[in-house]
Amino acid sequence: MEKHDIAIVGAGPVGMTLALALKDSGLDIILLDARARGAARHDPRVLALSHGSRLTLERLGIWARLPATAIETIHISHQGGLGRSVLRASEYGQPALGYVVAAGELAAALDDAIAQAGIPVRDHATVSGLAAGVDDVLISLEDGTHLSARLAACAEGAIAGDDDTALVERDYDQCAVISVATPATPHGGRAWERFTPQGPLAVLPCGRDCAIVHTASPAEADALMALDDDAYLARLQSHFGDRLRFASVGPRASYPLKLRYRPNPVGQRTVWLGNAAQTLHPVAGQGYNLALRDVWACAQVLLKAGGDPGAADTLATYARERHLDRQGTIRFTDGLVRLFSNAVGPLLHARGAGLLALDLIPPARHFVAKRMMFGARAWP
């Protein structure tokens, strides 16, 4: 039987990042992906990367290959009430609070690096099951073949037959309608997060354009998808306000929003990363950034431990080191959605007061900004 030290299930950005972080470890690594080779290069989404994510990608030699748009300012407001806050990179001595990159371009840069490093990728390899034993994990593929690894790193999505009883799930009853809009005037490196009773609306600088994440109820999302471009542009402008005028909008896509996470991201000779470990609401753009912090920490724990990568104490160390950041980020995003996505009168005023306080009290503003840049461990 084909044997490896680590089998990474999923050759998307999360799985490829883990493979690159371990490329000089001496471990026998293989990437398994259900799709055709390079499928992630065609991902139409955009990603908001934190400053901390930039540092990680720089360590991996990926950042210089990416066309990225800097987010120099973040404007936070809520519809129907007073109060707003503005976060500025200049307050923290950083060139940007974060960056916007095309998911497909990030995947392409990672895929090129994987090829250069000679890390094998098996495509059209759908994993149908994992059976963890004392010394290894038996990995079954849909084509009837099997292989084993001392550690299985489930990096993206779900695996057929995987035990979902350990998952915590919450359906937000919302969908994200995503698109790219061209502004009538330059965006100036500014991002907007506008909270509305229907859900948050994010406008992110992306090259000369703006990436739009428009949250709505499932029925409203269907209605938005049915509009022609001019009608949708008018609806978007009305929803967003006059802080920036949009000249045109491109094709739209819609997907449902749920919170889904594993309280414990490790099991017997198994670690879950990325969407296999947690799927978050896109508010504040924390999903991929949390995944990247998880991947980097996992790689460092494995490198420091040496020896058997699937050893129980090694995986327990990883879970312990990531508990604070994972739980903090999950609760942070979930709390934002539940607090701001409603029209209850007392909460409306409380939200306005909170945003005003955030703008007027520097320590509170710094706390939020550093959390967005570095995660929940960035307490100072």
Side-chain angles (χ1 to χ4, degrees), residues 27-54:
L27 295 167
D28 180 347
I29 299 170
I30 187 170
L31 280 155
L32 304 173
D33 198 73
R35 302 165 296 179
R37 179 67 191 265
R41 292 172 177 260
H42 308 295
D43 191 334
R45 299 172 300 160
V46 297
L47 297 172
L49 301 183
S50 67
H51 179 68
S53 291
R54 170 183 172 161

PDB file of all heavy atoms in Angstrom, residues 27-54:
ATOM      1  N   LEU A  27       9.484  15.419   5.728  1.00  0.00           N
ATOM      2  CA  LEU A  27       8.326  14.541   5.773  1.00  0.00           C
ATOM      3  C   LEU A  27       7.833  14.237   4.364  1.00  0.00           C
ATOM      4  O   LEU A  27       7.907  15.084   3.474  1.00  0.00           O
ATOM      5  CB  LEU A  27       7.197  15.188   6.588  1.00  0.00           C
ATOM      6  CG  LEU A  27       7.478  15.403   8.081  1.00  0.00           C
ATOM      7  CD1 LEU A  27       6.426  16.332   8.691  1.00  0.00           C
ATOM      8  CD2 LEU A  27       7.493  14.069   8.817  1.00  0.00           C
ATOM      9  N   ASP A  28       7.332  13.028   4.174  1.00  0.00           N
ATOM     10  CA  ASP A  28       6.745  12.612   2.898  1.00  0.00           C
ATOM     11  C   ASP A  28       5.301  13.115   2.872  1.00  0.00           C
ATOM     12  O   ASP A  28       4.443  12.619   3.606  1.00  0.00           O
ATOM     13  CB  ASP A  28       6.791  11.087   2.798  1.00  0.00           C
ATOM     14  CG  ASP A  28       6.194  10.555   1.500  1.00  0.00           C
ATOM     15  OD1 ASP A  28       5.525  11.320   0.781  1.00  0.00           O
ATOM     16  OD2 ASP A  28       6.366   9.355   1.220  1.00  0.00           O
ATOM     17  N   ILE A  29       5.040  14.104   2.012  1.00  0.00           N
ATOM     18  CA  ILE A  29       3.731  14.772   1.973  1.00  0.00           C
ATOM     19  C   ILE A  29       3.078  14.538   0.621  1.00  0.00           C
ATOM     20  O   ILE A  29       3.743  14.599  -0.419  1.00  0.00           O
ATOM     21  CB  ILE A  29       3.899  16.287   2.221  1.00  0.00           C
ATOM     22  CG1 ILE A  29       4.510  16.547   3.599  1.00  0.00           C
ATOM     23  CG2 ILE A  29       2.553  17.013   2.097  1.00  0.00           C
ATOM     24  CD1 ILE A  29       4.933  17.985   3.816  1.00  0.00           C
ATOM     25  N   ILE A  30       1.774  14.299   0.627  1.00  0.00           N
ATOM     26  CA  ILE A  30       1.002  14.230  -0.608  1.00  0.00           C
ATOM     27  C   ILE A  30      -0.276  15.040  -0.440  1.00  0.00           C
ATOM     28  O   ILE A  30      -0.875  15.056   0.648  1.00  0.00           O
ATOM     29  CB  ILE A  30       0.667  12.773  -1.003  1.00  0.00           C
ATOM     30  CG1 ILE A  30       0.021  12.746  -2.393  1.00  0.00           C
ATOM     31  CG2 ILE A  30      -0.219  12.105   0.050  1.00  0.00           C
ATOM     32  CD1 ILE A  30      -0.139  11.356  -2.978  1.00  0.00           C
ATOM     33  N   LEU A  31      -0.664  15.738  -1.489  1.00  0.00           N
ATOM     34  CA  LEU A  31      -1.922  16.484  -1.527  1.00  0.00           C
ATOM     35  C   LEU A  31      -2.943  15.684  -2.322  1.00  0.00           C
ATOM     36  O   LEU A  31      -2.640  15.189  -3.417  1.00  0.00           O
ATOM     37  CB  LEU A  31      -1.719  17.849  -2.180  1.00  0.00           C
ATOM     38  CG  LEU A  31      -1.112  18.955  -1.307  1.00  0.00           C
ATOM     39  CD1 LEU A  31      -0.414  19.987  -2.181  1.00  0.00           C
ATOM     40  CD2 LEU A  31      -2.182  19.629  -0.465  1.00  0.00           C
ATOM     41  N   LEU A  32      -4.136  15.551  -1.771  1.00  0.00           N
ATOM     42  CA  LEU A  32      -5.229  14.848  -2.446  1.00  0.00           C
ATOM     43  C   LEU A  32      -6.335  15.847  -2.722  1.00  0.00           C
ATOM     44  O   LEU A  32      -6.776  16.560  -1.820  1.00  0.00           O
ATOM     45  CB  LEU A  32      -5.772  13.722  -1.554  1.00  0.00           C
ATOM     46  CG  LEU A  32      -4.767  12.681  -1.065  1.00  0.00           C
ATOM     47  CD1 LEU A  32      -5.430  11.748  -0.062  1.00  0.00           C
ATOM     48  CD2 LEU A  32      -4.187  11.890  -2.232  1.00  0.00           C
ATOM     49  N   ASP A  33      -6.786  15.908  -3.960  1.00  0.00           N
ATOM     50  CA  ASP A  33      -7.837  16.867  -4.294  1.00  0.00           C
ATOM     51  C   ASP A  33      -8.886  16.198  -5.170  1.00  0.00           C
ATOM     52  O   ASP A  33      -8.553  15.467  -6.110  1.00  0.00           O
ATOM     53  CB  ASP A  33      -7.251  18.080  -5.016  1.00  0.00           C
ATOM     54  CG  ASP A  33      -8.196  19.268  -4.976  1.00  0.00           C
ATOM     55  OD1 ASP A  33      -8.330  19.882  -3.906  1.00  0.00           O
ATOM     56  OD2 ASP A  33      -8.803  19.579  -6.017  1.00  0.00           O
ATOM     57  N   ALA A  34     -10.150  16.470  -4.860  1.00  0.00           N
ATOM     58  CA  ALA A  34     -11.242  15.862  -5.618  1.00  0.00           C
ATOM     59  C   ALA A  34     -11.394  16.469  -7.003  1.00  0.00           C
ATOM     60  O   ALA A  34     -11.989  15.859  -7.895  1.00  0.00           O
ATOM     61  CB  ALA A  34     -12.554  16.010  -4.835  1.00  0.00           C
ATOM     62  N   ARG A  35     -10.830  17.656  -7.186  1.00  0.00           N
ATOM     63  CA  ARG A  35     -11.000  18.377  -8.448  1.00  0.00           C
ATOM     64  C   ARG A  35      -9.833  18.114  -9.390  1.00  0.00           C
ATOM     65  O   ARG A  35      -8.873  17.438  -9.044  1.00  0.00           O
ATOM     66  CB  ARG A  35     -11.115  19.874  -8.161  1.00  0.00           C
ATOM     67  CG  ARG A  35     -12.249  20.239  -7.231  1.00  0.00           C
ATOM     68  CD  ARG A  35     -12.092  21.650  -6.688  1.00  0.00           C
ATOM     69  NE  ARG A  35     -10.895  21.781  -5.857  1.00  0.00           N
ATOM     70  CZ  ARG A  35     -10.511  22.909  -5.272  1.00  0.00           C
ATOM     71  NH1 ARG A  35     -11.228  24.002  -5.433  1.00  0.00           N
ATOM     72  NH2 ARG A  35      -9.423  22.940  -4.535  1.00  0.00           N
ATOM     73  N   ALA A  36      -9.945  18.685 -10.592  1.00  0.00           N
ATOM     74  CA  ALA A  36      -8.829  18.628 -11.532  1.00  0.00           C
ATOM     75  C   ALA A  36      -7.689  19.490 -11.013  1.00  0.00           C
ATOM     76  O   ALA A  36      -7.902  20.453 -10.258  1.00  0.00           O
ATOM     77  CB  ALA A  36      -9.278  19.117 -12.914  1.00  0.00           C
ATOM     78  N   ARG A  37      -6.471  19.188 -11.418  1.00  0.00           N
ATOM     79  CA  ARG A  37      -5.307  19.955 -10.974  1.00  0.00           C
ATOM     80  C   ARG A  37      -5.466  21.421 -11.370  1.00  0.00           C
ATOM     81  O   ARG A  37      -5.786  21.755 -12.508  1.00  0.00           O
ATOM     82  CB  ARG A  37      -4.024  19.391 -11.594  1.00  0.00           C
ATOM     83  CG  ARG A  37      -2.743  20.153 -11.216  1.00  0.00           C
ATOM     84  CD  ARG A  37      -2.435  20.003  -9.742  1.00  0.00           C
ATOM     85  NE  ARG A  37      -1.396  20.888  -9.290  1.00  0.00           N
ATOM     86  CZ  ARG A  37      -0.103  20.564  -9.194  1.00  0.00           C
ATOM     87  NH1 ARG A  37       0.297  19.347  -9.573  1.00  0.00           N
ATOM     88  NH2 ARG A  37       0.778  21.416  -8.731  1.00  0.00           N
ATOM     89  N   GLY A  38      -5.246  22.305 -10.387  1.00  0.00           N
ATOM     90  CA  GLY A  38      -5.316  23.731 -10.643  1.00  0.00           C
ATOM     91  C   GLY A  38      -6.713  24.299 -10.657  1.00  0.00           C
ATOM     92  O   GLY A  38      -6.901  25.464 -11.028  1.00  0.00           O
ATOM     93  N   ALA A  39      -7.724  23.521 -10.226  1.00  0.00           N
ATOM     94  CA  ALA A  39      -9.101  24.022 -10.259  1.00  0.00           C
ATOM     95  C   ALA A  39      -9.268  25.271  -9.402  1.00  0.00           C
ATOM     96  O   ALA A  39     -10.053  26.159  -9.736  1.00  0.00           O
ATOM     97  CB  ALA A  39     -10.066  22.933  -9.787  1.00  0.00           C
ATOM     98  N   ALA A  40      -8.526  25.357  -8.304  1.00  0.00           N
ATOM     99  CA  ALA A  40      -8.653  26.509  -7.411  1.00  0.00           C
ATOM    100  C   ALA A  40      -8.225  27.810  -8.085  1.00  0.00           C
ATOM    101  O   ALA A  40      -8.588  28.901  -7.624  1.00  0.00           O
ATOM    102  CB  ALA A  40      -7.825  26.287  -6.140  1.00  0.00           C
ATOM    103  N   ARG A  41      -7.467  27.710  -9.180  1.00  0.00           N
ATOM    104  CA  ARG A  41      -7.054  28.918  -9.907  1.00  0.00           C
ATOM    105  C   ARG A  41      -8.249  29.677 -10.480  1.00  0.00           C
ATOM    106  O   ARG A  41      -8.138  30.858 -10.805  1.00  0.00           O
ATOM    107  CB  ARG A  41      -6.126  28.538 -11.064  1.00  0.00           C
ATOM    108  CG  ARG A  41      -4.766  27.996 -10.651  1.00  0.00           C
ATOM    109  CD  ARG A  41      -4.008  27.467 -11.851  1.00  0.00           C
ATOM    110  NE  ARG A  41      -2.664  27.005 -11.525  1.00  0.00           N
ATOM    111  CZ  ARG A  41      -1.545  27.709 -11.720  1.00  0.00           C
ATOM    112  NH1 ARG A  41      -1.618  28.924 -12.251  1.00  0.00           N
ATOM    113  NH2 ARG A  41      -0.370  27.212 -11.400  1.00  0.00           N
ATOM    114  N   HIS A  42      -9.377  29.000 -10.612  1.00  0.00           N
ATOM    115  CA  HIS A  42     -10.553  29.611 -11.231  1.00  0.00           C
ATOM    116  C   HIS A  42     -11.573  30.084 -10.193  1.00  0.00           C
ATOM    117  O   HIS A  42     -12.704  30.407 -10.547  1.00  0.00           O
ATOM    118  CB  HIS A  42     -11.199  28.614 -12.188  1.00  0.00           C
ATOM    119  CG  HIS A  42     -10.244  28.026 -13.187  1.00  0.00           C
ATOM    120  ND1 HIS A  42      -9.628  28.789 -14.163  1.00  0.00           N
ATOM    121  CD2 HIS A  42      -9.770  26.765 -13.336  1.00  0.00           C
ATOM    122  CE1 HIS A  42      -8.822  28.017 -14.873  1.00  0.00           C
ATOM    123  NE2 HIS A  42      -8.892  26.786 -14.396  1.00  0.00           N
ATOM    124  N   ASP A  43     -11.176  30.120  -8.943  1.00  0.00           N
ATOM    125  CA  ASP A  43     -12.068  30.584  -7.873  1.00  0.00           C
ATOM    126  C   ASP A  43     -12.402  32.057  -8.104  1.00  0.00           C
ATOM    127  O   ASP A  43     -11.506  32.905  -8.148  1.00  0.00           O
ATOM    128  CB  ASP A  43     -11.372  30.412  -6.516  1.00  0.00           C
ATOM    129  CG  ASP A  43     -12.298  30.621  -5.338  1.00  0.00           C
ATOM    130  OD1 ASP A  43     -13.298  31.355  -5.475  1.00  0.00           O
ATOM    131  OD2 ASP A  43     -12.022  30.059  -4.258  1.00  0.00           O
ATOM    132  N   PRO A  44     -13.693  32.428  -8.262  1.00  0.00           N
ATOM    133  CA  PRO A  44     -14.045  33.812  -8.592  1.00  0.00           C
ATOM    134  C   PRO A  44     -14.114  34.751  -7.388  1.00  0.00           C
ATOM    135  O   PRO A  44     -14.273  35.958  -7.555  1.00  0.00           O
ATOM    136  CB  PRO A  44     -15.437  33.657  -9.215  1.00  0.00           C
ATOM    137  CG  PRO A  44     -16.027  32.478  -8.493  1.00  0.00           C
ATOM    138  CD  PRO A  44     -14.877  31.542  -8.264  1.00  0.00           C
ATOM    139  N   ARG A  45     -13.966  34.227  -6.189  1.00  0.00           N
ATOM    140  CA  ARG A  45     -14.126  35.062  -4.996  1.00  0.00           C
ATOM    141  C   ARG A  45     -12.921  35.990  -4.803  1.00  0.00           C
ATOM    142  O   ARG A  45     -11.871  35.819  -5.417  1.00  0.00           O
ATOM    143  CB  ARG A  45     -14.279  34.188  -3.756  1.00  0.00           C
ATOM    144  CG  ARG A  45     -15.482  33.264  -3.743  1.00  0.00           C
ATOM    145  CD  ARG A  45     -15.403  32.338  -2.555  1.00  0.00           C
ATOM    146  NE  ARG A  45     -14.192  31.529  -2.610  1.00  0.00           N
ATOM    147  CZ  ARG A  45     -13.652  30.916  -1.555  1.00  0.00           C
ATOM    148  NH1 ARG A  45     -14.211  31.043  -0.368  1.00  0.00           N
ATOM    149  NH2 ARG A  45     -12.545  30.188  -1.679  1.00  0.00           N
ATOM    150  N   VAL A  46     -13.102  36.955  -3.917  1.00  0.00           N
ATOM    151  CA  VAL A  46     -11.977  37.752  -3.447  1.00  0.00           C
ATOM    152  C   VAL A  46     -11.815  37.499  -1.956  1.00  0.00           C
ATOM    153  O   VAL A  46     -12.771  37.139  -1.264  1.00  0.00           O
ATOM    154  CB  VAL A  46     -12.178  39.267  -3.715  1.00  0.00           C
ATOM    155  CG1 VAL A  46     -12.260  39.541  -5.203  1.00  0.00           C
ATOM    156  CG2 VAL A  46     -13.416  39.782  -2.999  1.00  0.00           C
ATOM    157  N   LEU A  47     -10.603  37.654  -1.466  1.00  0.00           N
ATOM    158  CA  LEU A  47     -10.305  37.416  -0.067  1.00  0.00           C
ATOM    159  C   LEU A  47      -9.743  38.682   0.566  1.00  0.00           C
ATOM    160  O   LEU A  47      -8.931  39.379  -0.045  1.00  0.00           O
ATOM    161  CB  LEU A  47      -9.279  36.287   0.081  1.00  0.00           C
ATOM    162  CG  LEU A  47      -9.695  34.901  -0.421  1.00  0.00           C
ATOM    163  CD1 LEU A  47      -8.492  33.964  -0.382  1.00  0.00           C
ATOM    164  CD2 LEU A  47     -10.833  34.346   0.416  1.00  0.00           C
ATOM    165  N   ALA A  48     -10.196  38.962   1.772  1.00  0.00           N
ATOM    166  CA  ALA A  48      -9.620  40.056   2.560  1.00  0.00           C
ATOM    167  C   ALA A  48      -8.566  39.447   3.474  1.00  0.00           C
ATOM    168  O   ALA A  48      -8.884  38.643   4.360  1.00  0.00           O
ATOM    169  CB  ALA A  48     -10.706  40.751   3.375  1.00  0.00           C
ATOM    170  N   LEU A  49      -7.312  39.785   3.243  1.00  0.00           N
ATOM    171  CA  LEU A  49      -6.208  39.241   4.034  1.00  0.00           C
ATOM    172  C   LEU A  49      -5.758  40.261   5.073  1.00  0.00           C
ATOM    173  O   LEU A  49      -5.584  41.440   4.766  1.00  0.00           O
ATOM    174  CB  LEU A  49      -5.029  38.887   3.130  1.00  0.00           C
ATOM    175  CG  LEU A  49      -5.290  37.872   2.013  1.00  0.00           C
ATOM    176  CD1 LEU A  49      -3.992  37.598   1.267  1.00  0.00           C
ATOM    177  CD2 LEU A  49      -5.874  36.591   2.561  1.00  0.00           C
ATOM    178  N   SER A  50      -5.559  39.805   6.289  1.00  0.00           N
ATOM    179  CA  SER A  50      -5.088  40.678   7.351  1.00  0.00           C
ATOM    180  C   SER A  50      -3.590  40.942   7.195  1.00  0.00           C
ATOM    181  O   SER A  50      -2.893  40.273   6.412  1.00  0.00           O
ATOM    182  CB  SER A  50      -5.347  40.030   8.712  1.00  0.00           C
ATOM    183  OG  SER A  50      -4.524  38.874   8.861  1.00  0.00           O
ATOM    184  N   HIS A  51      -3.101  41.911   7.955  1.00  0.00           N
ATOM    185  CA  HIS A  51      -1.660  42.182   7.936  1.00  0.00           C
ATOM    186  C   HIS A  51      -0.893  40.951   8.405  1.00  0.00           C
ATOM    187  O   HIS A  51       0.173  40.623   7.862  1.00  0.00           O
ATOM    188  CB  HIS A  51      -1.343  43.372   8.847  1.00  0.00           C
ATOM    189  CG  HIS A  51       0.117  43.701   8.916  1.00  0.00           C
ATOM    190  ND1 HIS A  51       0.809  44.213   7.847  1.00  0.00           N
ATOM    191  CD2 HIS A  51       1.019  43.560   9.928  1.00  0.00           C
ATOM    192  CE1 HIS A  51       2.084  44.392   8.194  1.00  0.00           C
ATOM    193  NE2 HIS A  51       2.231  43.994   9.442  1.00  0.00           N
ATOM    194  N   GLY A  52      -1.432  40.232   9.384  1.00  0.00           N
ATOM    195  CA  GLY A  52      -0.782  39.020   9.854  1.00  0.00           C
ATOM    196  C   GLY A  52      -0.696  37.966   8.768  1.00  0.00           C
ATOM    197  O   GLY A  52       0.305  37.239   8.666  1.00  0.00           O
ATOM    198  N   SER A  53      -1.729  37.860   7.923  1.00  0.00           N
ATOM    199  CA  SER A  53      -1.698  36.901   6.822  1.00  0.00           C
ATOM    200  C   SER A  53      -0.628  37.279   5.806  1.00  0.00           C
ATOM    201  O   SER A  53       0.033  36.414   5.222  1.00  0.00           O
ATOM    202  CB  SER A  53      -3.067  36.831   6.142  1.00  0.00           C
ATOM    203  OG  SER A  53      -4.022  36.234   6.998  1.00  0.00           O
ATOM    204  N   ARG A  54      -0.456  38.576   5.573  1.00  0.00           N
ATOM    205  CA  ARG A  54       0.620  39.006   4.676  1.00  0.00           C
ATOM    206  C   ARG A  54       1.970  38.521   5.200  1.00  0.00           C
ATOM    207  O   ARG A  54       2.802  38.019   4.425  1.00  0.00           O
ATOM    208  CB  ARG A  54       0.633  40.526   4.548  1.00  0.00           C
ATOM    209  CG  ARG A  54       1.876  41.016   3.813  1.00  0.00           C
ATOM    210  CD  ARG A  54       2.004  42.516   3.713  1.00  0.00           C
ATOM    211  NE  ARG A  54       3.310  42.859   3.159  1.00  0.00           N
ATOM    212  CZ  ARG A  54       3.618  44.023   2.619  1.00  0.00           C
ATOM    213  NH1 ARG A  54       2.719  44.996   2.582  1.00  0.00           N
ATOM    214  NH2 ARG A  54       4.823  44.254   2.131  1.00  0.00           N
TER     215      ARG A  54
END
